[in-house]
Amino acid sequence: METYTRETVGADLVHDVRGPLPTTDGRPPLFMIGQPMDASGFVALAARFPERTVVTYDPRGLGRSVRRDGRTDHTPEVQADDVHAVIEALGAGPVEMFASSGGAVTALALVARHPGDVTTLVAHEPPLITLTPDGPAAVRARAEVREAYEQRGWGAGMAAFVAMTSWEGEFTDAYFARPAPDAAAFGMPAEDDGSRDDPLLSDRSWAISDYRPDVDALAAATTRVVIAVGEESRAVQTGRTSAATAELLGHPVAVFPSHHGGFLDGEFGYPGKPDEFGQRLREVLDGAS
């Protein structure tokens, strides 16, 4: 693995390349992106593709990538232009892409803004909460996560986030009437360290979950776009946002093994099924539905 830095006007974008460039098998590089997950989250999945040249990167302001634009928010358009800059720096032509969570939103923006960059995009569980039928309630639930974080710190905020993302079905009155989640019950620290800059729990990434894909631009692009969902996620928020995104684009949804982090092994505490996930991703990249 070789590590490089792509200097842009607003950030130094650190990315890793596993394998040769140009590729020796004639296939495009396989680019894996997340948000707020950085390159460290794709170690297990990249290992399932030893025959491919795999590229991962840290989004600006996350992991090793330093931002110099004076901003703290995360927007799909800026992230998309960053990924475009990294693809240009690779000098290997268009890529195949696996993008997860907020990275899937970035990838949809990338295809709309730079349609020549990606041949096939597998967008896994994009958290586009305003696309679901209960969009306003989902926005309210998101605001409650930020409120818990602002008032009581990281543990309370993360407990509220887990409660929100594990809720099955629409956000009804029953959801909002439940007691506030207890941080200790979720294994989260109760003490408050005073920080309020978490991109997942603050409002710094709301532009990502508020994003609405450019349907016309995506339809005009030559990129094959596949919206993917984990089999265990179908009833929870990211499963419902995946279904809503696929419906908006007029595509069927592709079902993958496991959950939102189904490509992870045990290093983050909630293992998925990386072997099965990797095999399914290989099949979809090869043209399976």
Side-chain angles (χ1 to χ4, degrees):
M1 185 180 77
E2 299 289 340
T3 298
Y4 304 90
T5 299
R6 174 69 158 97
E7 296 183 5
T8 70
V9 173
D12 298 332
L13 305 172
V14 178
H15 55 284
D16 304 311
V17 181
R18 296 169 172 82
L21 285 176
T23 64
T24 57
D25 60 2
R27 293 192 66 167
L30 175 56
F31 202 149
M32 300 178 179
I33 67 173
Q35 169 66 34
M37 179 178 284
D38 60 27
S40 64
F42 295 100
V43 173
L45 186 58
R48 269 67 184 180
F49 289 85
E51 78 284 5
R52 300 288 304 272
T53 295
V54 176
V55 180
T56 56
Y57 99 121
D58 293 352
R60 67 169 56 202
L62 300 172
R64 301 160 295 174
S65 291
V66 178
R67 69 188 308 169
R68 293 179 279 98
D69 57 3
R71 298 174 60 170
T72 60
D73 60 328
H74 303 278
T75 67
E77 295 83 2
V78 171
Q79 301 280 12
D81 290 346
D82 284 349
V83 176
H84 171 69
V86 173
I87 292 172
E88 279 194 328
L90 296 175
V95 302
E96 292 183 336
M97 182 167 287
F98 170 75
S100 183
S101 194
V105 181
T106 295
L108 291 170
L110 172 69
V111 172
R113 293 167 71 85
H114 305 284
D117 281 2
V118 183
T119 58
T120 296
L121 165 62
V122 180
H124 181 248
E125 300 199 8
L128 299 173
I129 65 174
T130 65
L131 300 186
T132 58
D134 62 330
V139 168
R140 179 184 171 191
R142 181 185 66 181
E144 286 195 351
V145 171
R146 182 187 66 168
E147 182 180 2
Y149 177 53
E150 292 291 338
Q151 291 184 355
R152 302 191 300 281
W154 185 87
M158 184 56 70
F161 179 79
V162 172
M164 179 186 72
T165 55
S166 60
W167 180 264
E168 294 190 355
E170 296 190 355
F171 293 105
T172 60
D173 290 343
Y175 174 83
F176 296 105
R178 81 207 190 295
D182 177 60
F186 283 89
M188 308 297 175
E191 62 273 10
D192 183 356
D193 66 3
S195 65
R196 294 296 186 273
D197 57 357
D198 190 290
L200 193 65
L201 305 178
S202 66
D203 59 359
R204 296 185 176 191
S205 299
W206 281 13
I208 294 173
S209 50
D210 284 342
Y211 181 74
R212 188 172 185 87
D214 187 333
V215 177
D216 292 339
L218 291 170
T222 58
T223 305
R224 173 178 168 246
V225 177
V226 179
I227 305 299
V229 65
E231 61 187 353
E232 298 174 27
S233 301
R234 301 296 291 271
V236 299
Q237 186 180 48
T238 54
R240 297 190 302 111
T241 60
S242 301
T245 304
E247 182 178 2
L248 178 70
L249 301 182
H251 300 323
V253 67
V255 180
F256 272 59
S258 198
H259 48 69
H260 190 65
F263 51 91
L264 301 172
D265 57 22
E267 76 257 30
F268 295 101
Y270 186 29
K273 299 178 180 178
D275 289 334
E276 296 91 333
F277 197 102
Q279 181 56 38
R280 176 61 171 148
L281 177 57
R282 182 176 283 104
E283 293 168 355
V284 172
L285 290 173
D286 287 344
S289 58

